[in-house]
Structures are given as C-alpha cells and as structure tokens.
Amino acid sequence: MKSFECGTLVPGCTWHTQAEDSAEIVRRAAEHLRNAHGEEVIRPNMVDEIKARVHEKDEAVH
C-alpha cells in the first residue's frame, strides 16, 4: 500500500491518501490540489513532486 501526505508538498495541509499504486495516488492528489488549493493546472513538475513524495505506507516520511 502506498501513501501520500499533502503536507509534504503544501505546508500545513493535513490531507492524505492511500492506494495500491502510485498512479491512483497521483490522480487523487491532483484532484485534491484542484479542489482544496485552487490549482487550475497540474503541471508535469507538480506530478513529479507528488511522485517523489509517494512512499510505502509504513515507511517514514522525510
């Protein structure tokens, strides 16, 4: 199981998600960035930033 915490990208945000694969995490995170943070366009560099912060559920977040 993979996990992503938005606060690692947007300081102060407590939203997080879990999914079986990174593609679903990226999809959910992009949707969250649009809805909660007002991002109209999710650029490729933002997708890369999300991917870099996806980790195994029990792995420590840096």
Side-chain angles (χ1 to χ4, degrees), residues 15-44:
W15 182 85
H16 62 277
T17 191
Q18 297 176 19
E20 290 296 323
D21 59 66
S22 295
E24 180 62 15
I25 294 276
V26 170
R27 186 196 70 74
R28 292 177 187 180
E31 182 177 313
H32 169 74
L33 288 170
R34 284 186 202 96
N35 294 333
H37 300 295
E39 294 292 331
E40 293 181 13
V41 176
I42 307 301
R43 292 181 171 78

